[in-house]
Amino acid sequence: QQQVKQSPQSLIVQKGGIPIINCAYENTAFDYFPWYQQFPGKGPALLIAIRPDVSEKKEGRFTISFNKSAKQFSLHIMDSQPGDSATYFCAASNQAGTALIFGKGTTLSVSS
Amino acid sequence: DSGVTQTPKHLITATGQRVTLRCSPRSGDLSVYWYQQSLDQGLQFLIQYYNGEERAKGNILERFSAQQFPDLHSELNLSSLELGDSALYFCASSVAPTSGDTQYFGPGTRLTVL
C-alpha cells in the first residue's frame, strides 16, 4: 500500500514558469515531509523540508505548502530554470519509523 | 558531494550469483539506510542500522541481508540474484535515527543481473 501519492508523473514547463508538484499522505503519524531532487546518475539530494506545524516554508525559489487537514503538501518552483530539470520526490517519515517513505517521483523538464 | 561513498558504482552479474555493496557514511553519522530504486517501484526503503545495530526493516527480501561494522561502514549482501533485482541501490546516512534528521544519499550502485 503506497503511503505517499505524488502527481503528476511528469511535467514540462517553460523557463520562468511555476511548476507545482503535489503529494498526499495517509498516515497521520508522519511528522516530517522532505522534498528530494535527483539528477540523472546521481543520488537524491535534500531540497527543502517541512514539519506539520507550519503551513508554508520558502527557501530561495522553492516553496512547500502544507495542508494538514487535507493531508496534502506541494512543492512550488518559482521562476523555473533549465537547470531545475530533474526528478523530484516527496517523502514522509515519523518517529516510529524514521526511514523515508517516498512518492513515485515527478520528472520535471524546463525548456528554454 | 554528499560525503556518503558507495562502491562499486556499477555491478554486472548473472542470475543466481551473490554480490556485496559497500557504503561509507558521512563522517560523524551513526545511522545508515539502504534504499532500492527501480522504474516500477520507485525508491523503497530496505533496512536501517544505527551504531552497528539493526533498527528497522522495510521491503527487504529474505535473500538480502546487511550489516554495519564497528567503523560504521555498511554492506548490503544480495544473494540468489534474479533478473528483477536489477536496480539502483542507494545508501543514505544521518547523524541519528531521528525523524527530521537529514538523510544524505550516496551516488548509488547500479546492479544489472543478466
Side-chain angles (χ1 to χ4, degrees), chain B residues 8 16 23 35-36 43 47 52 61 77 87 105:
Chain B
C23 166
Y35 293 88
Q36 179 192 58
L43 266 164
I47 196 165
L61 300 171
N77 300 296
F105 282 73

Side-chain angles (χ1 to χ4, degrees), chain B:
Chain B
D1 184 359
S2 67
V4 178
T5 61
Q6 289 186 249
T7 57
K9 193 171 177 62
H10 300 279
L11 202 47
I12 301 174
T13 188
T15 54
Q17 295 298 305
R18 171 189 168 96
V19 297
T20 297
L21 312 184
R22 182 187 169 103
C23 166
S24 292
R26 291 188 329 148
S27 176
D29 285 359
L30 301 179
S31 192
V32 169
Y33 305 78
W34 286 97
Y35 293 88
Q36 179 192 58
Q37 185 174 34
S38 61
L39 281 174
D40 55 341
Q41 296 295 325
L43 266 164
Q44 289 207 313
F45 167 66
L46 295 178
I47 196 165
Q48 176 195 5
Y49 281 82
Y50 173 64
N51 206 19
E53 299 290 325
E54 181 185 304
R55 186 171 175 88
K57 270 187 174 180
N59 299 319
I60 188 165
L61 300 171
E62 285 192 11
R63 300 182 285 108
F64 296 1
S65 65
Q67 58 185 125
Q68 186 179 28
F69 295 86
D71 67 351
L72 301 177
H73 91 270
S74 178
E75 292 181 357
L76 178 67
N77 300 296
L78 315 176
S79 62
S80 302
L81 285 168
E82 301 176 0
L83 296 178
D85 297 327
S86 296
L88 268 167
Y89 291 84
F90 287 105
C91 166
S93 73
S94 65
V95 174
T98 304
S99 182
D101 208 20
T102 300
Q103 291 185 29
Y104 295 88
F105 282 73
T109 293
R110 181 175 294 278
L111 173 66
T112 302
V113 182
L114 301 175

Side-chain angles (χ1 to χ4, degrees), chain A residues 31 36 38 51 93 100 104, chain B residues 33 35 37 40 97 99 103:
Chain A
D31 64 359
Y36 278 79
Q38 185 179 26
R51 295 276 193 184
S93 68
L100 294 170
K104 292 283 193 182
Chain B
Y33 305 78
Y35 293 88
Q37 185 174 34
D40 55 341
S99 182
Q103 291 185 29

Side-chain angles (χ1 to χ4, degrees), chain A residues 94-109:
Chain A
N94 62 43
Q95 290 297 342
T98 56
L100 294 170
I101 308 298
F102 284 92
K104 292 283 193 182
T106 296
T107 300
L108 171 67
S109 179

Side-chain angles (χ1 to χ4, degrees), chain A residues 29-49:
Chain A
F30 286 146
D31 64 359
Y32 175 65
F33 302 88
W35 286 88
Y36 278 79
Q37 179 188 55
Q38 185 179 26
F39 292 104
K42 304 289 187 183
L46 179 67
L47 192 60
I48 185 173

